[in-house]
Amino acid sequence: MAKRDLYEALARQLRADSIRCSTAAGSGHPTSSLSAADLMAVLLGGHLRYDWSEPSNPANDHLIFSKGHASPLNYALFRAAGAITDQELLTFRKFGSRLEGHPTPVVPWVDVATGSLGQGLPIAVGIALAGKRVLGAPYHVWTLTGDSELAEGSIWEGLDHAGHERLSNFTAIFDVNRLGQRGPTELEWNLDAYAARVSAFGCESIVVDGHDLTAIDAALERARRTERPTVIVAKTVKGRGVSFLEDKVGWHGKALDAEQARRALAEIGDVTSRTFPTLKPDPWQAPKRPAARRPEWRTYREPVATRKAYGEALAALGASRADVVVLDGEVSNSTHAEDFKKTAADRFFEMYIAEQQMVAAAVGMQVVGLVPFASTFAAFMTRAFDFIRMAAISRANIRLCGSHCGVSIGEDGPSQMALEDLAMMRAVHGSTVLYPCDANQTARLVGLMTDREGISYLRTTREKTPILYIDGLDDFHVGGSRIVRGGDTDDAVVVVAAGITVHEAIKAADELKGTITVRVIDAYSVKPIDAAALIDALRVSQGRVCVVEDHWPEGGLGDAVLAALAEAGVMQEVERFAHLAVRDMPGSGKPAELLDAAGISARHIADTVRELAGASRDRHR
Amino acid sequence: MAKRDLYEALARQLRADSIRCSTAAGSGHPTSSLSAADLMAVLLGGHLRYDWSEPSNPANDHLIFSKGHASPLNYALFRAAGAITDQELLTFRKFGSRLEGHPTPVVPWVDVATGSLGQGLPIAVGIALAGKRVLGAPYHVWTLTGDSELAEGSIWEGLDHAGHERLSNFTAIFDVNRLGQRGPTELEWNLDAYAARVSAFGCESIVVDGHDLTAIDAALERARRTERPTVIVAKTVKGRGVSFLEDKVGWHGKALDAEQARRALAEIGDVTSRTFPTLKPDPWQAPKRPAARRPEWRTYREPVATRKAYGEALAALGASRADVVVLDGEVSNSTHAEDFKKTAADRFFEMYIAEQQMVAAAVGMQVVGLVPFASTFAAFMTRAFDFIRMAAISRANIRLCGSHCGVSIGEDGPSQMALEDLAMMRAVHGSTVLYPCDANQTARLVGLMTDREGISYLRTTREKTPILYIDGLDDFHVGGSRIVRGGDTDDAVVVVAAGITVHEAIKAADELKGTITVRVIDAYSVKPIDAAALIDALRVSQGRVCVVEDHWPEGGLGDAVLAALAEAGVMQEVERFAHLAVRDMPGSGKPAELLDAAGISARHIADTVRELAGASRDRHR
C-alpha cells in the first residue's frame, strides 16, 4: 500500500475505533480523538519506532498523550499496532478493564498517567533529558497536547527546559482544535501566537494543517531530524471526519449514542479493523553501568543539619550507583543537593525555579529506569502537588526531599516554612514519609529511599541538630522508630516527636529527669508509622501521650499517631493525649524564639508532660 | 529638587536602608534589593499614586513585590514614603516585628504575602482585572519580579491572562539581574528572549537599562499610558552600587557584616534618611453598589448533584450581591459555576485551564474588597496548593469549590478523582472545609461561605444525590453536623459520613433497621468539625464508631474525627473505631461499582456496623 493510502486507512480506523469504543462505554472523548487522528495515524504509520512486543526495549520511542482525555485514540493506536484486540478495545472505561478513562501505566505501552492537563509534556521533557544527557539513547520522545492545556504554566516550564537543554529528541504536537471543554479556547486558531510562544521559549515551531497527511508526514520527518526541540503546531478540527461533530461546541466529553455512531461510522467509510505495520527501533543496548556498590556514608559526630547530610548522602550515592540522578529547583546550595555534583556532576539536573517541571522530569526519568531524587524547600513542594498526586497514579518510583521545614527555619518567615508538607505527602497514595532528626539517620534513610517503590519523601531541617545516633545505624527502617529516652521504664509519660522536636523533647526529658520519667520516641518514619512502638508506649505510660511536631495540627504526625492507634484498636488505652503543633501564623524571629512561640519548644513539652503526669496522679489518687 | 536629583537621592537612600536593615537583622537579601533600587526609586518618586496615610483608599495604585525576598527594599520604600520610622525599619526580621523576612499584609501597605516566587505577578493580574472589569477603578497595578522566578509557569499564566484581557492598568517590572540564588539564571542577560516571550504572551515589552534613571522614568510613563499590559524588562546588576557586591555569585540572601556594611555605605555616599514626596491618587469613589439582599435559594425536592446546586447558589448570589465574583478553570459546565452568568455575567471570569492563575486572581480580587468564589475539579485544586497556602499567609478571604470528588465520579478514572483534597484543605491555616450531601444544604453552605473569613472550601459531588433536607435549612452552620438516622436512640452504632457516603450510610442503616440501630451523622463541616455531636454519639453508641469517606485514609474525615475526639479527651470512650476509606488505586467503572470496590458502599458499611455491634455483644456477653 502506498504510504499515503496507508495513512488514510489508518486514520479512518483510528476514527472509527475512537467512536466505537466510546460509544460502547457510553462516555469518553471521541471528538478530541478525531481532531488528532490524522496526526497520530502518520506518526504511528511512518515515524514512531516502537517494538510493540517489547515495551521495555530501551530503544523504543516514547509517545505520551498529554491530552489524556483522548484515550480512545490512544487505545485505538494500540489496537492498530496489534497490541490489543478489538474485543479488549471495547472494554474501554468498564470496571476491571485496563483501558481506563484516562491512560495509566497499567497498560504496558503507556509510560505515565495523564488526564491532569499540562503534565504529559513536562514528563516527556524528562524522558528526553534522560535519553540525551544520561543514557545516550536513540529514542525520540513524542507528546500530543490539546490546545486548552496550553494555558497551563507547566507547559511553558516544559518547553523552556526543552529549549534550554536543546533537546533535539523531543517533539510536542499541539492539536489546536480551537474548542475546549466549554467553548472556544483563549487563542482559538491563532497558530501564529502559538508559534511565537514556542519560538520565544527556545523550540522550533512547525505549523501545519493537522489534516493534511503529506504535510504532517514532512513535519514529523523534520521534527526527528532537527537539532533543536520541535513543536508541531497543527491546526485541526474537533470532531473531524464526522459532519455533525466538526467544530461544534457542546460535543466535548460526550460519547455518541448508537444511532449517532452508526451515522458517524457510515460517514467515515467502510473500515475493516486491522493491524498496521509500524517501524521498529534499531537494535540498541544501553552501555552497561558499573555495578552498584554499597554507598559509603559519612559518619557524623558533631551537629550537622539534616539537609547537609542529605546532600552528602546524595554524593555517596553518586559515587556508588550509576543510576541515581538528582534534580533541584535552583536552591541546591540550600537543600545541599549540590553536593551530588562532587561525585556525579553529569547526573545533576538544574531545574531552575520550576517545581512542577522538576517533579515531572523526575517522573520521566524513572520511566527509563533511572533513580531520581528531587529537592526544593519543602514549602515549595506544594507547587507540584498535582504532579506528585499524578505520579502515584503513574506508579512512579520517585524520591523527593523538602528542606527548611517548619517554624524552625527562623527569620525568613512563613512563606518559606513548610507547615503542611506532612499532610500533603501522607495523602499521596502508597507514599513513604520520612523525617530524620540527625545526620547519620538521614544518610541511612536516603539509602532506604533509593530502593523504595512508590513516592518517598524526606523532610529535612535548616538548622544544625546534635548527633543522636552513632550505633545501630543499620537498624533504621521504613516503618521504624527509635526510643531516645526512657526506654527502660514502666511508668513514663510518652512524647512522640520527629525531626527538630526530637531534640526539644530530649531537652524536656532531661530537664524532668528525677521527677518524671519521659519516654521520647523518634518517629522518623511518619508513614508508615511504627504502630507497635506506639502501642508499647501506651502500655508503659498508662496511656499518657504527647505528640509534638513542627507542622500545622492537621494531617501531620499527630493525625498519623491517632490513626495508627485507632487502627490497632487501642484507643481505650489512651488516657490523655496532648498535641503540640503550630496553631497560629508564625512571623519572623530566631528559630528558638519561633519554636517557643509556637508552643513546641522544650519548655512547652515539659509543661505538657507535667500536666499529663499530674492529671494521671490526680486520677489514680 | 530636580526630578533626576530626587530619584538619585531616593535611590541612594533605598540602597543604604536595604543594607542597614538587613545588616541589623543579620540576614536578608540586600543584593536582590540593590538591583531594583533605581527602578523602585523612580516608581516611588515619580509614578506611584498612593496615599500613605490611607492604604484603603480605593484609588491607590498597587505595588506588589513578586520578588518578596527583596523585602529590605520594600520596607525601605515605606520608610522613604514616611509610612514607617527609621527605628521600625531596623526591627526587620526580628521576633515580633511586622517587618517579616518576606512581606505580609500584617503591614498595611502590603496587599498580599509573597516569598513563594512566581505568585505576586499573577495576583497583581487579579487586582488589575478587578479594577478594569468590575470596579472601573483608576488605579494602576505594578509588580516587581525577579528574573529567577520567570522560570515559574505561573508567571506565564499571569501574562497570558493580562494579555488576553488587555489589562492596560497592569505593569510588571522584570528585574533581570542575571543571578539567581546559586548562580546564573537560565537566560542571564538575554533581554531579547524575555522581550520575545512577553510579546508572544500578548503584553508590550519595554526594554531598559534598569540603572538609567531617565530611561526608567520614560518607561514607567509609557507603561501607565499604554493601552495594553506592559512589562518593563530591565537589565540590572545584582548588588548595584557597592563595588564588592556587583554581579557577584555567592552574595544571594546574605547580609553584610558590620564592617562590610560600613564600606558599602561609604560607597553609596552620605545619606540623610528622609521622607520623600510621593504622588497621591486623584480623588475617586467607587460607584455605590446596590445593597446586598438575602439570596433566594432554590428549594430542591428531587435528586440533584451538589455541584449543580453550587452553580445555582452562585446564581442566587449573583442576583443578590454586587460584590460576589466567580472564577472558573474552563470547566464551568462541569462545576456548574457557569450558572452565575445567568445573573451576573459581567462578574464571571473565565480563567481557562490555569488553576494557579485562578486562585491568584481570586486572592487579588479580595484585596480590593470583592468576594470571590473559584472552582475547578477538586483534583485540580492540588495544582494551586502553593497559592492556597500563601493565600492563608496573605490573610485572604477566598472561597474555593472543588467538584468531582472521590471515586464516585465513575468512568473518568483516578486522574479526575480528588482523593486528597480534604487533607490538603484541612492543612491550610485557618481554613473552613465543607462537604455537602444534598442540594438544599449546598446552597446554605455557599451562603455561609460568602461571609466567612479566611479560606473556605466546598467539596461537591458529580452524581445526583437524593434530597435529605427540606426543613431546618437555616440551622446549618460552620462547625455543625446533622443526625440523619437514629437520632432518638441510646443504643446505636454510629456512622460518621459526609457527602456521597451519607447516602450510602443511610442505605446501610435502613437495611439494618430492626436488627441494629444506626446513628448516621452527616459531618458536612469537616473543619471545624462538630466535636459535641461526636462526643454525644460516643455516649449513645457505647463507643462504636465507623467513619466512611470517599477519600484516601490520610488527612480526611477519619483523621478529623480522631483529632476532635483526642482534643476533647474522650479517647477512652472509643471502644471500636472502624475507618472505611479508599485504600487501593481505583480504576474506571460505574460510580456504584467503584464505591463498592473501594469498600465504602452501603454493603460495606452494613458489614462494618454488624461487626462493630457483634464485637460489642461478644464483649458485653
Side-chain angles (χ1 to χ4, degrees):
Chain A
M1 199 190 289
K3 206 157 139 196
R4 209 197 130 85
D5 294 341
L6 182 143
Y7 292 158
E8 263 183 19
L10 178 47
R12 258 201 309 277
Q13 176 168 322
L14 296 177
R15 288 198 161 89
D17 282 351
S18 295
I19 290 172
R20 288 170 60 237
C21 73
S22 51
T23 292
S27 68
H29 298 75
T31 58
S32 305
S33 297
L34 264 50
S35 63
D38 295 317
L39 292 162
M40 290 300 102
V42 179
L43 180 65
L44 183 73
H47 300 271
L48 188 77
R49 299 184 192 164
Y50 198 95
D51 185 346
W52 296 94
S53 66
E54 194 192 357
S56 63
N57 183 330
N60 277 344
D61 278 359
H62 294 265
L63 169 58
I64 294 182
F65 269 54
S66 196
K67 55 178 296 187
H69 56 287
S71 52
L73 178 61
N74 200 358
Y75 302 143
L77 284 176
F78 299 157
R79 162 72 197 97
I84 63 171
T85 64
D86 195 55
Q87 193 178 16
E88 179 169 12
L89 182 66
L90 298 178
T91 66
F92 176 49
R93 286 179 165 249
K94 294 205 168 72
F95 185 71
S97 169
R98 59 181 178 173
L99 306 183
E100 299 181 13
H102 294 75
T104 75
V106 171
V107 183
W109 313 280
V110 172
D111 284 331
V112 291
T114 53
S116 178
L117 291 170
Q119 298 205 15
L121 184 149
I123 292 170
V125 169
I127 301 177
L129 203 48
K132 188 172 178 198
R133 276 196 37 200
V134 183
L135 306 172
Y139 61 70
H140 199 89
V141 186
W142 309 90
T143 180
L144 175 71
T145 79
D147 48 352
S148 283
E149 69 180 303
L150 303 178
E152 285 285 10
S154 56
I155 290 286
W156 304 99
E157 293 182 15
L159 293 181
D160 177 50
H161 283 78
H164 183 68
E165 302 268 0
R166 297 187 71 85
L167 298 178
S168 54
N169 57 348
F170 171 88
T171 299
I173 303 170
F174 289 179
D175 175 17
V176 184
N177 65 23
R178 195 188 72 84
L179 293 177
Q181 167 172 329
R182 39 125 295 287
T185 60
E186 221 176 0
L187 292 173
E188 302 203 33
W189 274 325
N190 187 348
L191 302 200
D192 290 344
Y194 287 122
R197 292 181 184 193
V198 164
S199 304
F201 276 72
C203 301
E204 183 166 322
S205 68
I206 306 172
V207 177
V208 294
D209 174 344
H211 304 302
D212 177 338
L213 299 171
T214 309
I216 298 168
D217 202 31
L220 294 174
E221 182 70 28
R222 179 172 148 202
R224 190 187 278 274
R225 290 206 184 152
T226 301
E227 295 289 295
R228 287 200 301 157
T230 40
V231 177
I232 296 174
V233 181
K235 181 176 179 182
T236 61
V237 176
K238 199 160 178 171
R240 170 76 172 201
V242 178
S243 57
F244 57 93
L245 300 177
E246 285 190 0
D247 197 32
K248 291 277 191 305
V249 172
W251 269 104
H252 182 92
K254 263 189 206 157
L256 284 65
D257 66 27
E259 169 55 22
Q260 290 163 336
R262 198 194 52 72
R263 282 166 49 210
L265 292 171
E267 278 194 35
I268 290 166
D270 197 26
V271 175
T272 320
S273 185
R274 66 181 194 84
T275 299
F276 288 78
T278 55
L279 298 173
K280 281 198 181 180
D282 293 333
W284 177 80
Q285 281 301 324
K288 263 255 178 294
R289 292 191 189 112
R293 289 179 290 113
R294 199 182 146 88
E296 291 178 20
W297 310 121
R298 279 193 56 177
T299 302
Y300 301 93
R301 294 177 192 279
E302 299 300 321
V304 177
T306 53
R307 62 180 169 130
K308 181 62 183 162
Y310 171 72
E312 294 182 338
L314 291 184
L317 280 178
S320 65
R321 289 186 60 144
D323 53 355
V324 170
V325 291
V326 170
L327 306 93
D328 192 89
E330 221 273 308
V331 288
S332 61
N333 55 343
S334 288
T335 60
H336 288 288
E338 66 177 6
D339 290 347
F340 185 73
K341 291 192 220 174
K342 292 177 189 163
T343 60
D346 53 328
R347 285 180 276 129
F348 179 88
F349 294 85
E350 179 55 71
M351 303 310 290
Y352 299 96
I353 305 190
E355 295 81 7
Q356 298 185 95
Q357 179 56 48
M358 179 179 75
V359 172
V363 170
M365 290 181 180
Q366 62 87 43
V367 165
V368 288
L370 298 175
V371 177
F373 282 81
S375 50
T376 183
F377 282 32
F380 307 141
M381 279 292 174
T382 56
R383 198 65 155 255
F385 190 20
D386 197 19
F387 285 76
I388 299 169
R389 173 185 82 85
M390 288 296 297
I393 305 176
S394 288
R395 282 70 172 173
N397 302 318
I398 59 170
R399 296 135 205 94
L400 305 174
C401 172
S403 68
H404 292 70
C405 65
V407 301
S408 76
I409 67 162
E411 286 81 357
D412 271 332
S415 64
Q416 320 291 303
M417 297 170 178
L419 289 164
E420 56 290 292
D421 58 319
L422 294 178
M424 174 175 81
M425 293 307 308
R426 281 182 66 232
V428 171
H429 183 65
S431 65
T432 303
V433 180
L434 304 172
Y435 183 13
C437 65
D438 143 304
N440 292 318
Q441 182 184 46
T442 303
R444 293 327 192 275
L445 297 183
V446 169
L448 294 170
M449 288 167 82
T450 312
D451 296 309
R452 185 87 182 153
E453 295 210 330
I455 293 161
S456 47
Y457 176 65
L458 188 80
R459 186 186 212 220
T460 64
T461 298
R462 178 179 185 271
E463 298 296 294
K464 287 185 185 179
T465 42
I467 298 303
L468 293 183
Y469 302 114
I470 294 288
D471 300 322
L473 297 177
D474 291 333
D475 297 340
F476 291 119
H477 61 279
V478 172
S481 68
R482 196 69 82 90
I483 297 174
V484 291
R485 285 293 185 278
D488 52 353
T489 178
D490 263 351
D491 184 23
V493 171
V494 167
V495 177
V496 182
I500 191 87
T501 60
V502 171
H503 302 283
E504 297 298 317
I506 287 173
K507 279 185 246 170
D510 292 349
E511 179 192 326
L512 294 168
K513 205 169 177 179
T515 59
I516 306 169
T517 309
V518 181
R519 171 177 288 194
V520 177
I521 296 178
D522 169 13
Y524 61 83
S525 180
V526 176
K527 181 185 174 188
I529 200 160
D530 189 347
L534 296 173
I535 294 166
D536 182 58
L538 276 187
R539 190 184 48 75
V540 304
S541 69
Q542 296 149 36
R544 297 166 305 174
V545 179
C546 169
V547 177
V548 53
E549 58 182 321
D550 195 358
H551 190 274
W552 299 129
E554 297 86 5
L557 185 61
D559 277 8
V561 167
L562 289 173
L565 297 177
E567 196 179 340
V570 295
M571 299 282 277
Q572 291 192 303
E573 295 171 36
V574 185
E575 187 185 309
R576 292 288 305 275
F577 183 86
H579 186 197
L580 306 183
V582 182
R583 290 173 194 273
D584 296 318
M585 183 60 73
S588 290
K590 295 200 176 71
E593 288 171 333
L594 295 177
L595 286 169
D596 200 54
I600 58 173
S601 63
R603 179 171 74 89
H604 291 280
I605 298 169
D607 285 352
T608 303
V609 166
R610 273 190 209 100
E611 214 178 292
L612 292 180
S616 168
R617 263 200 304 278
D618 293 348
R619 185 149 175 170
H620 289 236
R621 208 175 277 159
Chain B
M1 199 190 286
K3 209 158 136 195
R4 209 199 130 86
D5 293 341
L6 181 143
Y7 292 159
E8 265 185 18
L10 178 48
R12 258 201 309 278
Q13 176 168 320
L14 295 177
R15 290 199 159 88
D17 281 351
S18 295
I19 289 172
R20 290 169 61 236
C21 74
S22 51
T23 293
S27 68
H29 298 75
T31 57
S32 306
S33 296
L34 264 50
S35 63
D38 295 318
L39 293 162
M40 290 300 103
V42 179
L43 180 64
L44 184 72
H47 300 270
L48 188 76
R49 298 182 192 166
Y50 199 95
D51 184 346
W52 296 95
S53 65
E54 194 191 358
S56 63
N57 183 330
N60 278 343
D61 278 0
H62 293 266
L63 169 59
I64 294 181
F65 269 54
S66 197
K67 54 178 296 188
H69 56 288
S71 52
L73 178 63
N74 201 357
Y75 302 144
L77 284 177
F78 299 157
R79 162 75 196 94
I84 62 170
T85 64
D86 195 56
Q87 195 178 14
E88 179 168 12
L89 182 65
L90 298 178
T91 66
F92 177 48
R93 286 177 164 250
K94 295 206 166 73
F95 184 71
S97 170
R98 61 182 177 173
L99 305 184
E100 299 181 13
H102 294 74
T104 75
V106 171
V107 183
W109 312 280
V110 172
D111 284 332
V112 291
T114 53
S116 178
L117 291 171
Q119 298 206 14
L121 185 148
I123 292 171
V125 169
I127 301 177
L129 204 47
K132 188 170 179 201
R133 274 195 39 199
V134 183
L135 306 171
Y139 61 70
H140 199 88
V141 186
W142 309 89
T143 181
L144 175 71
T145 79
D147 47 352
S148 283
E149 69 180 303
L150 303 178
E152 285 285 8
S154 56
I155 291 286
W156 303 99
E157 293 183 14
L159 293 180
D160 177 50
H161 283 77
H164 183 68
E165 301 267 359
R166 298 187 71 83
L167 298 178
S168 54
N169 57 347
F170 170 88
T171 299
I173 303 170
F174 288 180
D175 175 16
V176 184
N177 67 23
R178 194 189 73 84
L179 293 176
Q181 167 173 329
R182 39 125 296 286
T185 59
E186 220 176 358
L187 292 174
E188 302 204 33
W189 275 324
N190 188 347
L191 303 201
D192 290 344
Y194 287 121
R197 292 180 184 195
V198 165
S199 303
F201 275 72
C203 301
E204 184 167 321
S205 68
I206 306 173
V207 176
V208 293
D209 174 345
H211 303 302
D212 178 339
L213 299 171
T214 309
I216 298 168
D217 202 32
L220 293 174
E221 183 70 28
R222 180 173 146 200
R224 190 188 278 274
R225 289 204 186 154
T226 300
E227 296 286 297
R228 287 202 300 158
T230 41
V231 176
I232 296 174
V233 181
K235 181 177 178 181
T236 61
V237 176
K238 198 161 179 172
R240 169 76 172 202
V242 178
S243 57
F244 58 93
L245 300 177
E246 285 190 358
D247 198 31
K248 293 276 191 304
V249 172
W251 268 105
H252 182 93
K254 262 190 204 156
L256 283 66
D257 66 25
E259 169 55 22
Q260 290 163 336
R262 200 194 50 73
R263 282 166 49 211
L265 292 172
E267 279 194 35
I268 289 166
D270 197 25
V271 175
T272 320
S273 184
R274 66 182 194 83
T275 299
F276 287 78
T278 54
L279 299 172
K280 281 197 181 180
D282 292 332
W284 177 81
Q285 283 301 324
K288 263 259 176 293
R289 291 191 189 111
R293 288 180 290 112
R294 199 182 147 87
E296 290 178 21
W297 310 122
R298 279 194 56 177
T299 302
Y300 301 92
R301 293 175 193 282
E302 297 301 320
V304 176
T306 54
R307 62 183 169 127
K308 182 61 182 164
Y310 170 74
E312 295 183 337
L314 290 184
L317 280 178
S320 66
R321 289 187 59 149
D323 54 355
V324 170
V325 291
V326 170
L327 306 92
D328 192 90
E330 223 272 309
V331 288
S332 60
N333 54 342
S334 288
T335 60
H336 288 290
E338 66 177 6
D339 289 348
F340 185 73
K341 291 191 218 173
K342 292 177 188 162
T343 60
D346 52 331
R347 285 180 275 130
F348 179 88
F349 293 86
E350 179 54 71
M351 303 311 290
Y352 298 96
I353 306 190
E355 295 81 6
Q356 298 186 97
Q357 178 57 47
M358 179 180 74
V359 172
V363 171
M365 289 181 181
Q366 62 87 43
V367 165
V368 288
L370 297 175
V371 177
F373 282 80
S375 50
T376 183
F377 282 32
F380 307 141
M381 278 292 174
T382 56
R383 198 65 155 257
F385 190 20
D386 197 19
F387 285 75
I388 300 168
R389 172 185 83 85
M390 288 295 296
I393 306 177
S394 289
R395 281 72 172 171
N397 302 317
I398 59 171
R399 295 135 207 94
L400 305 174
C401 172
S403 68
H404 293 68
C405 64
V407 301
S408 75
I409 67 162
E411 286 83 355
D412 271 333
S415 65
Q416 320 292 301
M417 297 170 178
L419 290 163
E420 56 290 293
D421 57 319
L422 294 177
M424 173 175 80
M425 293 306 308
R426 280 182 66 232
V428 171
H429 183 66
S431 65
T432 302
V433 180
L434 305 172
Y435 183 13
C437 66
D438 142 305
N440 292 317
Q441 182 184 47
T442 303
R444 293 327 192 275
L445 297 184
V446 169
L448 293 170
M449 290 168 80
T450 312
D451 296 310
R452 185 86 181 154
E453 295 210 331
I455 293 161
S456 46
Y457 175 66
L458 187 81
R459 185 185 215 223
T460 64
T461 298
R462 177 178 187 272
E463 298 297 292
K464 286 183 186 180
T465 42
I467 298 303
L468 294 183
Y469 303 115
I470 295 288
D471 300 321
L473 297 178
D474 291 334
D475 298 340
F476 291 118
H477 61 280
V478 172
S481 68
R482 198 68 83 91
I483 298 174
V484 291
R485 284 294 184 278
D488 52 354
T489 178
D490 263 351
D491 185 24
V493 171
V494 168
V495 178
V496 183
I500 193 87
T501 60
V502 171
H503 302 283
E504 297 299 317
I506 287 174
K507 280 185 247 170
D510 292 349
E511 178 192 327
L512 295 168
K513 207 170 175 179
T515 59
I516 306 170
T517 309
V518 182
R519 170 177 288 194
V520 178
I521 296 177
D522 169 12
Y524 61 82
S525 180
V526 176
K527 180 185 174 189
I529 198 161
D530 190 347
L534 297 173
I535 294 166
D536 181 59
L538 278 187
R539 191 184 49 76
V540 304
S541 68
Q542 296 149 38
R544 300 165 302 175
V545 179
C546 168
V547 177
V548 54
E549 59 182 320
D550 195 356
H551 190 275
W552 299 129
E554 297 86 7
L557 186 61
D559 278 7
V561 167
L562 289 172
L565 296 177
E567 195 179 340
V570 296
M571 301 282 278
Q572 290 191 302
E573 297 171 35
V574 184
E575 187 185 310
R576 292 288 305 276
F577 183 87
H579 186 195
L580 306 183
V582 182
R583 291 173 192 273
D584 296 318
M585 184 59 73
S588 290
K590 295 200 177 70
E593 288 171 334
L594 295 176
L595 286 168
D596 200 54
I600 57 173
S601 62
R603 179 172 74 89
H604 292 280
I605 298 169
D607 285 350
T608 303
V609 166
R610 273 189 210 98
E611 213 178 294
L612 292 180
S616 167
R617 263 200 304 279
D618 292 349
R619 184 148 175 173
H620 290 236
R621 208 176 277 156

